[in-house]
Amino acid sequence: MLKKNDVIELDILDVGLNGEGIAKTFDGYTLFVNGATVGDKAVLRVTKTNKTYGFARCEKIITKSPFRNDVPCKSFDKCGGCSIMNLKYEKQLEIKKSIVVNNLLKIGGYNEDEYKLNEIVASENINNYRNKAQFPVGMAKNRVVCGFYEPKSHNVVSVENCFIQDEKINKIVNLCVKFFNKYKISVYSEKTKKGIVRNVYVRNTGVGIMVVIVANSKKKLPYYTELVSMLVSNGVGSVIQNINTKDTNVIMGDENIILYGEDKILAKIGDLKFYISSKSFFQVNTKQTENLYNIAKEFANATKEDTVFDLFCGCGTISLYLANEAKKVIGVEIVEDAVKMAEENARLNNVENANFYAGDCDQIVKKLIDNGEKVDIVVVDPPRKGLTENLIDMIVSLNPKRIVYVSCNSATLARDVKYAKEKGYILKEATPVDMFPHTTHCEVAVKLER
């Protein structure tokens, strides 16, 4: 039995969900290893042991993995954001696909030969692909810095050039940091609960740019006119101060102060245009979003005879993407502001066969059915926690001919797919989509049929 500080030489066999290497001893004991990756042979020092698994750090790499990639980011070993940037992209895709397959097998109960598994859709851009950044603000050496939290801490690591963020976003964040330092804008402290600036949030859709400064103050930022002038001269169309005075890890508060422009910017997916607000959900990889929605459209296979329910519809992106194919699309979303934005987006795209409702999916769907609405196809794109059994029961009770499930968490998707099978809906096809290069996260779309 291994114990803390034991040193052992092992092969790294796999990669964990947080990018750590996974090794096994000769008797099958699992070690999660910081500083090593799949394909390495390394000397490891045990840091912690449990009954069935333990943790270790890499002391020395004996044989370097053939899958290793040179990492361009100086903060790679500190910020924890791009956990597998040290792997060649082809290996990243292989790992992500295997995570989806393993979850569908171990959690969902589906062998690969029981459904059609399509190739993972690779991202056209693996660097500078993110259209949205949320950076915590902190202090380092008496200066304001912006970046990411160190793993398992709230210490802010300064990142001036994040390799997965859009280059314009990096520039704008650096301008904000320059402004904070020049005008000595105080930074919020989690210990004292004092200070103003908490986070900088930037969105660049390629059509519009929005900057949100999350502040522990209901008063406008000091020298905000200078900030607005600087940002607008760099192409920013919307500057917002979000008010968050609560002692919470939730990034944004409920109230906004518009410092410049409006609380919305324009985005495009394919031929469609969308307004998105500071609080609207919008996928972070625009090109991959188009690929994902094309897959969802293909899986839905709607005709002019079909009514489609789009649950968790957000600002209406998938709904409007499907509307041209269907007789009618009904979107349901619990966030009222998102529903208002979805209605505006329908008008923006001259879509007349899409209706949107604000409220809990279970309750809204029940009311619609009680009022005589029928459904042929259901599309769901829930948060990471997935669906409730009650909602799955509700969906199954509608007897749709097809369910399309889009998810950023294949584990909860697999759990829900298993429950749906018990209720008579079988997994027919699955396609992983790499929305997040250099991380272990992956989108996946699946098709279920009764």
Side-chain angles (χ1 to χ4, degrees):
M1 184 68 183
L2 290 173
K3 59 184 182 298
K4 186 176 179 180
N5 287 323
D6 280 352
V7 175
I8 187 171
E9 181 182 313
L10 291 173
D11 292 324
I12 308 300
L13 305 175
D14 206 347
V15 174
L17 293 179
N18 296 314
E20 70 277 30
I22 298 176
K24 288 185 180 291
T25 63
F26 70 92
D27 58 354
Y29 187 77
T30 299
L31 285 172
F32 295 94
V33 186
N34 286 328
T37 194
V38 59
D40 287 338
K41 177 185 283 292
V43 176
L44 315 178
R45 183 177 294 275
V46 178
T47 56
K48 183 179 179 181
T49 59
N50 295 317
K51 186 174 182 180
T52 56
Y53 64 93
F55 300 90
R57 67 172 180 266
C58 179
E59 295 276 289
K60 179 183 178 183
I61 295 176
I62 300 170
T63 305
K64 185 178 177 181
S65 169
F67 309 119
R68 274 191 175 269
N69 184 50
D70 292 332
V71 176
C73 180
K74 296 178 181 178
S75 303
F76 171 73
D77 60 343
K78 298 177 182 177
C79 94
C82 301
S83 58
I84 56 173
M85 185 181 267
N86 60 341
L87 289 175
K88 294 177 181 177
Y89 188 54
E90 294 76 11
K91 191 63 177 179
Q92 293 184 27
L93 294 175
E94 180 185 320
I95 289 168
K96 294 182 188 211
K97 185 176 179 180
S98 71
I99 290 172
V100 173
V101 170
N102 286 336
N103 282 335
L104 287 173
L105 173 63
K106 296 177 181 179
I107 301 173
Y110 277 95
N111 292 307
E112 272 190 75
D113 58 1
E114 294 182 271
Y115 63 97
K116 181 182 178 184
L117 175 66
N118 298 312
E119 278 303 313
I120 185 170
V121 180
S123 180
E124 183 178 309
N125 298 318
I126 63 173
N127 296 321
N128 307 117
Y129 63 85
R130 283 187 63 98
N131 59 40
K132 183 182 80 168
Q134 291 181 159
F135 291 96
V137 180
M139 296 294 295
K141 296 180 180 178
N142 295 318
R143 290 188 60 80
V144 180
V145 296
C146 222
F148 294 107
Y149 291 128
E150 289 182 359
K152 301 179 182 179
S153 83
H154 273 197
N155 297 322
V156 177
V157 177
S158 177
V159 180
E160 296 181 1
N161 181 30
C162 176
F163 280 84
I164 63 171
Q165 299 293 349
D166 174 83
E167 291 177 312
K168 188 75 173 179
I169 289 178
N170 284 325
K171 180 180 179 180
I172 289 169
V173 170
N174 289 331
L175 287 173
C176 290
V177 171
K178 181 179 178 181
F179 165 80
F180 299 146
N181 281 304
K182 179 178 179 180
Y183 292 99
K184 301 187 185 307
I185 308 299
S186 62
V187 173
Y188 176 76
S189 167
E190 292 182 347
K191 293 181 180 179
T192 65
K193 316 303 177 190
K194 295 181 180 179
I196 297 176
V197 181
R198 301 176 69 136
N199 290 80
V200 174
Y201 161 27
V202 185
R203 233 173 192 160
N204 180 14
T205 65
V207 185
I209 303 175
M210 173 184 287
V211 175
V212 181
I213 308 296
V214 182
N216 178 44
S217 174
K218 295 184 178 181
K219 296 180 181 180
K220 289 184 178 180
L221 285 170
Y223 305 101
Y224 78 90
T225 54
E226 285 81 356
L227 174 66
V228 167
S229 176
M230 178 182 64
L231 294 176
V232 171
S233 68
N234 281 274
V236 175
S238 176
V239 184
I240 295 167
Q241 178 179 329
N242 176 261
I243 299 170
N244 185 357
T245 59
K246 297 179 180 178
D247 180 14
T248 175
N249 286 330
V250 176
I251 293 174
M252 293 181 67
D254 298 325
E255 185 180 348
N256 282 339
I257 301 173
I258 308 297
L259 301 179
Y260 178 82
E262 299 180 88
D263 184 11
K264 64 181 181 182
I265 54 173
L266 199 62
K268 286 188 71 176
I269 304 176
D271 296 328
L272 294 175
K273 298 177 182 178
F274 299 92
Y275 281 120
I276 54 176
S277 71
S278 58
K279 298 179 183 178
S280 294
F281 171 77
F282 193 75
Q283 297 280 5
V284 300
N285 187 330
T286 306
K287 180 59 181 176
Q288 284 294 78
T289 301
E290 185 177 349
N291 291 330
L292 178 67
Y293 289 177
N294 281 331
I295 293 164
K297 181 192 288 188
E298 179 187 338
F299 282 0
N301 194 24
T303 71
K304 292 297 183 181
E305 306 298 318
D306 291 328
T307 295
V308 179
F309 278 16
D310 177 17
L311 308 184
F312 308 95
C313 70
C315 60
T317 48
I318 293 181
S319 299
L320 300 181
Y321 219 72
L322 298 176
N324 190 48
E325 310 289 324
K327 175 184 176 183
K328 178 167 56 176
V329 176
I330 295 173
V332 183
E333 168 63 51
I334 198 167
V335 180
E336 289 190 22
D337 288 344
V339 170
K340 292 176 182 177
M341 197 64 67
E343 293 171 338
E344 186 171 357
N345 287 332
R347 293 190 293 270
L348 178 66
N349 291 282
N350 298 312
V351 174
E352 298 180 350
N353 63 332
N355 299 314
F356 298 95
Y357 298 88
D360 183 84
C361 287
D362 301 58
Q363 298 174 10
I364 296 296
V365 170
K366 186 177 185 306
K367 287 181 181 178
L368 290 169
I369 298 303
D370 289 344
N371 290 333
E373 194 66 69
K374 294 183 179 179
V375 60
D376 301 290
I377 299 165
V378 174
V379 178
V380 294
D381 185 4
R384 290 187 62 80
K385 64 182 180 181
L387 305 175
T388 64
E389 289 188 357
N390 286 341
L391 183 55
I392 297 173
D393 288 337
M394 170 71 75
I395 292 170
V396 168
S397 72
L398 304 178
N399 199 31
K401 58 186 176 184
R402 202 169 298 117
I403 300 170
V404 179
Y405 192 146
V406 177
S407 175
C408 62
N409 186 344
S410 60
T412 54
L413 175 140
R415 177 202 66 200
D416 296 343
V417 163
K418 180 179 182 180
Y419 186 73
K421 184 178 182 181
E422 296 171 5
K423 300 297 178 178
Y425 278 79
I426 297 172
L427 174 64
K428 302 295 288 185
E429 194 168 353
T431 304
V433 178
D434 184 20
M435 193 75 70
F436 321 101
H438 302 315
T439 78
T440 56
H441 301 295
C442 183
E443 289 277 333
V444 60
V446 302
K447 177 173 67 175
L448 308 176
E449 292 181 354
R450 66 189 175 203

